[in-house]
Each structure stands twice: as C-alpha cells, then as structure tokens.
C-alpha cells in the first residue's frame, strides 16, 4: 500500500453540516414512505385475466421493478404539491443506466446551498424470500468514487423497500388480482454504511459496490475522504485488481493531482 499512500490525492472536504443534511434527507424519505403505508397508499393492484392468479413462485422477477416504480411515482406526486410537509420540491426519474434511480430535491438551507439534492437508489426485496436482499449491486466503484471528488457533499441514498405479494379475487370480474404491498423500508446514506456491510464485486466494469444484507445494516461515522479511502481499499484488496489498475483509474477520473 506504500505506492498508494505516496500519491498526491485530491482530498474532498465536506461541509460541517453535511451529516445533519444527510440525516434530514433520510428522515424525510422514510417519513414519506411511512405516511404512504399508514394511509393505505402502499398497494399496487394488478388486474389480470388469470383465473388462478399470479405465478407466485416467480413473482419477484416482476415485483421488484413495479415496487421501485411505485416509489418513484410517490415522490413525484408529493413534489408537485405546493407547500407539502416534506419540502420536497423536485423528483426526477433517472435513465436506466444512471447511477441512481431517482433524484430528489428538498428545500432546505445548508452551508452548501438552499436546496438539498439526494441521489436515491431504490431496492425492492421480498418479505417471504430468505435470500432476497442479499448482496444487491448498488453502484459502480469508479462512478461513486468520482462523484465524491466532484462534490464532497454528494448524497447517495440506498432505499430498501420490503414488499409482499398476494392474490385476491376481484368480485366484479371473478378473476384474481395480484396485490403488491410495501410493508417495510429503510434508507441509508452509502457514505456511512459500515465497512463490514459493504463489499466489492470485481465482475462488472470497474467493479460494483454491494451491501451484504440490505435488511441488516450498521452505520459508521466517517468523512468523505475516509469513504474514498475505504472504497480504494476494497478495490485494491481484490485479487483481481492491481495497483496499476487503480492508478490508471485515478489518472483517468482525476482522483490524483
């Protein structure tokens, strides 16, 4: 690691109130989901012409994207309400290949601006499947590492939505409706997810960050620079990566001077 430590790094320094801003975003996102559950807005109903209902053994292949779309529409609907209680002023769905699924903006004054922007990656997992939520890919190593160099106050939220699916007879049609219901949630700022809960998968591109079990996450306080070093450590600890690989990325993406 001596070669790594001897590099002339660009060191990002976040604002003093960045932890409070992150906490505000998480509290707001979780509050929005909680309110939707309490108000009965957490159900997605699929009207089908299937007499025996949805194929439950394979339902999670389609349930995940549908639940994630539900979350996007929920945030969008609130953002269009002037004076909403969450001060959510903008919600935007990202492209399929974007780093996040949704960009949320809250009207909140901080030392680094009057609007807080959160990049949200939503992950839907099944309540009744034991392995659901184990080691999901979150984002590209090089992409997230670069984001924090470009903006030391960057906020990237992983939103975990746990759902259950069941069938219910439609009294009007006599057929079976599929119902997807969001029942639990957690939001995490990736910057504070503990070292033991984050892993690195070198299989795709520059590698993917993963959360070992999205349902059981512990947090650690750290600075933006600490997080960048943690990402580098995980990359360099992979048997499929070398220091020369890392140096090429560092020069390509401007991590070093």
């Amino acid at each position: 690691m001596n070669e790594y430590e001897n590099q002339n790094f660009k060191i990002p320094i976040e604002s003093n109130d960045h932890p409070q801003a992150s906490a505000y975003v998480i509290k707001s996102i979780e509050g929005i989901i909680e309110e939707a559950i309490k108000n009965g807005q957490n159900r997605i109903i699929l009207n089908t012409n299937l007499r025996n209902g949805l194929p439950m053994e394979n339902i999670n292949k389609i349930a995940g994207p549908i639940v994630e779309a539900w979350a996007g529409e929920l945030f969008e609907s609130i953002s269009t309400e002037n004076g909403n209680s969450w001060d959510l002023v903008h919600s935007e769905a990202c492209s399929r290949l974007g780093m996040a699924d949704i960009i949320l903006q809250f009207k909140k004054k901080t030392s680094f601006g009057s609007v807080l922007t959160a990049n949200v990656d939503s992950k839907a997992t099944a309540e009744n499947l034991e392995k659901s939520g184990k080691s999901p890919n979150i984002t590209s190593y090089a992409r997230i590492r670069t984001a924090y160099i470009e903006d030391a106050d960057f906020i990237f939220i992983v939103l975990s939505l746990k759902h259950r699916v069941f069938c219910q007879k439609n009294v009007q049609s006599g057929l079976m409706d599929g119902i997807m219901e969001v029942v639990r949630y957690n939001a995490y700022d990736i910057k504070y997810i503990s070292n033991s809960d984050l892993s690195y998968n070198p299989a795709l591109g520059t590698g993917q960050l993963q959360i070992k079990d999205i349902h059981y996450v512990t947090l650690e306080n750290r600075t933006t620079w600490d997080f960048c070093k943690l990402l580098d450590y995980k990359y360099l600890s992979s048997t499929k990566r070398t220091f020369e690989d890392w140096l090429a990325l560092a020069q390509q993406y401007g991590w070093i001077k």
Side-chain angles (χ1 to χ4, degrees):
M1 292 291 286
N2 287 338
E3 290 177 299
Y4 171 82
E5 293 168 356
N6 290 333
Q7 297 303 308
N8 189 10
F9 289 97
K10 292 181 182 177
I11 299 178
I13 300 175
E14 71 274 25
S15 304
N16 289 334
D17 56 347
H18 177 84
Q20 291 78 18
S22 170
Y24 175 86
V25 167
I26 289 174
K27 183 178 179 181
S28 298
I29 290 173
E30 291 188 337
I32 289 170
I33 303 296
E34 180 180 10
E35 185 177 75
I37 292 174
K38 286 182 177 178
N39 293 341
Q41 297 175 297
N42 58 326
R43 284 189 170 189
I44 306 157
I45 301 174
L46 303 180
N47 300 118
T48 73
N49 61 351
L50 298 173
R51 292 188 300 275
N52 297 320
L54 297 173
M56 301 303 288
E57 65 275 10
N58 295 314
I59 196 62
N60 293 293
K61 294 179 180 179
I62 64 168
I66 292 174
V67 168
E68 290 163 12
W70 167 86
E73 290 192 3
L74 174 65
F75 293 126
E76 182 182 10
S77 66
I78 292 175
S79 69
T80 59
E81 298 174 7
N82 291 329
N84 66 78
S85 58
W86 308 104
D87 289 327
L88 179 61
V89 294
H90 181 69
S91 176
E92 177 183 342
C94 300
S95 65
R96 187 177 65 86
L97 297 178
M99 181 162 57
D101 296 316
I102 311 163
I103 294 175
L104 300 179
Q105 292 185 315
F106 297 88
K107 187 178 180 182
K108 173 71 172 175
K109 188 168 182 59
T110 66
S111 63
F112 50 95
S114 58
V115 173
L116 266 179
T117 299
N119 295 263
V120 180
D121 183 25
S122 55
K123 297 295 181 186
T125 59
E127 185 183 43
N128 58 338
L129 287 183
E130 183 180 347
K131 293 185 178 180
S132 184
K134 297 292 181 69
S135 299
N137 287 329
I138 302 300
T139 187
S140 156
Y141 158 72
R143 184 179 280 183
I144 193 73
R145 175 70 162 83
T146 303
Y148 283 101
I149 294 299
E150 294 176 348
D151 179 6
D153 290 310
F154 185 74
I155 296 177
F156 188 90
I157 304 297
V158 180
L159 174 60
S160 169
L161 297 169
K162 185 176 278 193
H163 61 84
R164 61 171 172 243
V165 183
F166 58 95
C167 290
Q168 181 174 289
K169 190 170 184 177
N170 187 310
V171 293
Q172 292 181 325
S173 67
L175 299 173
M176 299 295 286
D177 289 339
I179 299 176
M180 300 174 183
E181 186 174 47
V182 177
V183 292
R184 296 184 193 174
Y185 58 87
N186 284 103
Y188 314 104
D189 187 329
I190 196 172
K191 174 179 163 183
Y192 299 120
I193 293 177
S194 70
N195 178 24
S196 61
D197 287 319
L198 279 177
S199 59
Y200 170 78
N201 179 0
L204 299 173
T206 63
Q208 287 279 318
L209 281 187
Q210 296 180 329
I211 297 177
K212 292 180 181 178
D213 188 339
I214 204 167
H215 304 310
Y216 300 96
V217 173
T218 54
L219 304 176
E220 296 174 351
N221 289 325
R222 59 169 68 96
T223 65
T224 298
W225 176 228
D226 287 338
F227 185 58
C228 290
K229 289 189 291 183
L230 174 63
L231 295 178
D232 292 344
Y233 171 79
K234 290 188 177 294
Y235 179 92
L236 290 167
S237 296
S238 171
T239 57
K240 296 186 178 181
R241 304 298 187 191
T242 65
F243 172 75
E244 287 70 28
D245 294 332
W246 177 89
L247 185 60
L249 290 176
Q251 292 171 337
Q252 178 183 351
Y253 291 104
W255 303 342
I256 54 179
K257 298 178 183 178

